[in-house]
Amino acid sequence: MRNHRYYPRATPAQVLWLRNFADKLPALAAQLGLTESLVAAALADCGFMGYILSSWISGIRAYGMAATATLSYAGYGQGANPVALPVLTVPELPKDATPVWPGALNRIFALVRKLKLAKSYTKTIGLDLGVEAPGNFAAHPVPTLKLTVVAGIKNQAARLGFVKFGHHGVLIESRTNGGPWQKLGTYTRSPFLDTRPLLVAGIAEVREYRIRFIDMDVPTGEWSGVAKIAIGP
């Protein structure tokens, strides 16, 4: 299998990738010169592979664990009743998904190569579809973060400038005065302005921030170093 750097390695992330690609492709089809039949085939491939990689394989794995436990129980367990063998049951194929010919991923990857050749294709479109490779973890394992104090409406605010190195965005967390970490959200454009009011009006506080990459709504890589700043009235 060829190495498609935009396609995630982790199975849950692959399911999200397929779902995003299927959701975004129809709206971009005309702009990229894709026929209705080609788009329909791609959606079928995405739907079937999404089912195989999520519900179906989860059911198979659950059965495998039950079978292993039953084997051990049958050989070494104790009890007054005959051993009940587990039954293989997996979720049915969704109504909006149908079996497809072998090579679904190969066809999807071939379609990606085709749409990237379209004159109207841009990196922005590619990032939206998830077909642009994420940033280089070796060179940039974490996003960079720069904090600045700026004027706010009720009190000072924190300006977070970040560099995502080709990733879709960043997840931002913060804590105040050494308290618990709080998720502020995911953001694709720098800078982010934290305009939250002070915990106690008129009393300065210390805020800490950390960020990590986001690709296809899935956190990737490690957290950045913690950055600290004082926010006053």
Side-chain angles (χ1 to χ4, degrees):
M1 183 178 68
R2 291 183 58 185
N3 179 26
H4 301 277
R5 294 187 61 243
Y6 56 82
Y7 189 65
R9 293 184 178 181
T11 299
Q14 291 174 354
V15 175
L16 291 174
W17 187 94
L18 290 163
R19 186 178 303 159
N20 177 78
F21 187 77
D23 288 344
K24 301 290 181 62
L25 187 64
L28 295 167
Q31 182 178 350
L32 296 171
L34 304 177
T35 64
E36 291 185 4
S37 60
L38 194 58
V39 172
L43 297 185
D45 285 336
C46 288
F48 186 66
M49 285 304 305
Y51 164 75
I52 290 290
L53 290 168
S54 57
S55 302
W56 183 82
I57 195 62
S58 295
I60 295 296
R61 288 170 177 164
Y63 175 77
M65 290 187 290
T68 299
T70 300
L71 183 62
S72 176
Y73 177 67
Y76 304 102
Q78 296 180 352
N81 298 315
V83 175
L85 298 178
V87 177
L88 175 60
T89 56
V90 295
E92 295 183 358
L93 191 68
K95 294 182 179 179
D96 58 348
T98 56
V100 297
W101 295 104
L105 288 178
N106 285 335
R107 290 190 293 273
I108 293 172
F109 297 150
L111 177 60
V112 171
R113 291 194 294 272
K114 176 181 176 66
L115 63 86
K116 283 188 173 184
L117 294 176
K119 292 182 179 180
S120 56
Y121 177 83
T122 64
K123 187 173 182 179
T124 300
I125 291 176
L127 290 172
D128 194 30
L129 287 171
V131 299
E132 287 289 336
N136 184 347
F137 277 113
H140 305 288
V142 297
T144 60
L145 172 62
K146 181 179 180 180
L147 290 180
T148 309
V149 176
V150 297
I153 299 176
K154 295 184 177 180
N155 49 256
Q156 292 179 334
R159 182 183 184 274
L160 285 72
F162 58 85
V163 180
K164 55 185 181 177
F165 298 109
H167 293 263
H168 291 166
V170 297
L171 168 63
I172 301 177
E173 288 191 352
S174 175
R175 64 183 179 187
T176 303
N177 294 336
W181 287 104
Q182 175 185 358
K183 179 180 177 181
L184 299 186
T186 58
Y187 301 91
T188 58
R189 293 185 179 181
S190 176
F192 164 71
L193 195 62
D194 182 5
T195 59
R196 291 176 296 165
L198 295 168
L199 289 180
V200 180
I203 304 298
E205 61 192 32
V206 175
R207 295 182 185 176
E208 295 176 283
Y209 298 89
R210 64 182 183 182
I211 62 177
R212 66 189 299 193
F213 292 126
I214 285 286
D215 288 305
M216 305 301 299
D217 298 324
V218 178
T220 56
E222 302 296 328
W223 288 104
S224 67
V226 175
K228 183 185 300 185
I229 199 168
I231 299 296

